[in-house]
Amino acid sequence: MLASDKIAGAFLAIVEEAEKLKKAGLTGEAENAVKTIISIAKHQSDIRNATEGACTGSKHACKH
């Protein structure tokens, strides 16, 4: 398996585990942090300082 495939699989696993956390009834701050983790993993990029609307992907895949 190529290293890039392993990394992509790892990011997918992070998204799956974070989605489980989202369903656990977190506080508002914790839920926002989990959403940010999911967005970073899906984009495989640090999107924390991205401006509103900067994402061109699906609205379901983006934090914004």
Side-chain angles (χ1 to χ4, degrees):
M1 179 181 274
L2 295 174
S4 58
D5 292 337
K6 288 182 180 180
I7 293 169
F11 277 109
L12 179 59
I14 291 168
V15 170
E16 290 171 354
E17 293 302 315
E19 291 286 350
K20 289 179 191 176
L21 279 175
K22 246 175 59 171
K23 296 176 183 175
L26 302 172
T27 65
E29 185 177 338
E31 186 172 344
N32 285 337
V34 170
K35 286 179 182 179
T36 299
I37 291 167
I38 292 168
S39 292
I40 291 168
K42 284 185 176 183
H43 290 279
Q44 296 181 18
S45 179
D46 187 353
I47 51 81
R48 290 176 289 181
N49 294 317
T51 58
E52 185 75 27
C55 175
T56 58
S58 161
K59 70 178 180 178
H60 300 290
C62 299
K63 159 178 134 169
H64 307 293

